[in-house]
Amino acid sequence: MRITNSLMSQNFLSNLNNNMNNVYKYQEQLSSLKQVSRPSDDPLKVSKIMDLKNEIKQNQQYKTTINDAIDFTNVQDSALANATNSLQRIHTLTQQAANGTYNTQDRQAIKTEIENEVETMMDSLNTNFGGRYVFAGKESTTKPFTTERADDGNFSIKYEGSTMANNNVSKEIARGVNVELKTDGLDLFNNNDGTENIGELFNDIFTALDADDVGKLGNLLGDIESQLELTVNKRTEIGAIQNRLTAALDRNESEYLNLETSLSTNQDIDLAETYMNYTMEMNAYQASLSMGTKILQTNIMDYVR
C-alpha cells in the first residue's frame, strides 16, 4: 500500500475528529452530570430512564393517595371516638333514669341532656374531611345524617347518604392493589341484629323518659350496649385499614428509594471516572493536534532543502 501525504492528512483529520467527538462527549457529561443527553446517545438506556421516571411519577401519585387515605381514616376514627363517648354518656344517663328514686322532673332533665348528646353524636357522624363526608358512602358531598321530630313527637334519624349495595369507597394504593375505606354510614345506623335502627332506639328512650317507664329504660340499656359494640367494631375495622395503609406507605417509600437508586445508576455519571476519561481524551486530542501541525505543514519545499 502506497502511503501518500494526502492519505496521511485524511487519516489524521479522521482521527482528530474522533478524538474531538470523545472530548465533546465527556465534556457534555461533565457539564450535565448525565450519561446521556439525547436518545441517539444510547436508545436502550434512554428508554429505560424514561420508564424509571414514569414509575417514580406513578409511585408519587400512589403515595399521595395513601397519605390522603390515612388522613381520611384518622378523621373517621376521631369521629367514631366522639360518637362512642356520646353513646357511653347516653348509656350512663339512661341507667340513672332507670333508677326508681328519680322523679319526672329529673327524667326530663336527663332527656334534655340525652337530646344534646344525640345531636353531638350526629355532628360527629356528619364529619367532613376535605369537602367529603366521611360516612356518606359514595355520595360524599351529601350530608349523611339528619334528625327529625314528627308532629306526634316521635324522633327519627334519616340517612341521606348513598344506599348502593357496595357503598364503600375504593382507593388504588399500588398497581393492582385496592383498599376499601369504610364510608357506608348504614353500617353505623342499625343495631347488630338489624331489627332496630339507632333513631328508633333514641325514640324509645325519649318515649320511656316521658312516660317514666323505669322498666322500659332498663331494657333499653342492652340495646345501647349493642350500638356501642357496633361502633367499637367499626373503629376496629377502620384501625385495621389504617395499619394496612401505613404498611403500604412504608413499601411505597422503599420502592421509591429503589427506583431513585436505579435511575441514578442509569442516568447519572460517575464523576471521578468521567473526569479521568475526559482528561485522557483531552490529552489524546492535544497530542493529535501537535502531531497534525507537523503533518499538515509538510510541503514540497521541505523536500527541496
Side-chain angles (χ1 to χ4, degrees), residues 114-163:
I114 290 178
E115 287 175 338
N116 290 331
E117 284 296 340
V118 170
E119 292 298 330
T120 300
M121 180 179 177
M122 292 303 103
D123 290 341
S124 298
L125 297 181
N126 285 328
T127 296
N128 186 294
F129 172 73
R132 298 167 293 170
Y133 289 100
V134 297
F135 293 117
K138 293 184 178 179
E139 294 181 8
S140 59
T141 57
T142 302
K143 186 177 179 179
F145 295 99
T146 58
T147 59
E148 291 184 354
R149 276 198 178 275
D151 294 337
D152 59 2
N154 283 333
F155 176 86
S156 64
I157 296 175
K158 296 184 66 177
Y159 180 69
E160 305 289 350
S162 174
T163 56

Side-chain angles (χ1 to χ4, degrees), residues 196-207:
E196 181 181 49
N197 68 42
I198 194 172
E200 294 171 350
L201 170 61
F202 292 148
N203 184 65
D204 290 343
I205 293 174
F206 297 144
T207 301

Side-chain angles (χ1 to χ4, degrees), residues 171-211:
K171 295 285 188 180
E172 186 177 12
I173 59 175
R175 187 179 285 106
V177 179
N178 293 276
V179 63
E180 280 195 354
L181 303 181
K182 299 295 183 178
T183 59
D184 190 353
L186 285 174
D187 287 348
L188 297 168
F189 205 65
N190 296 319
N191 282 341
N192 288 335
D193 57 8
T195 59
E196 181 181 49
N197 68 42
I198 194 172
E200 294 171 350
L201 170 61
F202 292 148
N203 184 65
D204 290 343
I205 293 174
F206 297 144
T207 301
L209 286 169
D210 288 335

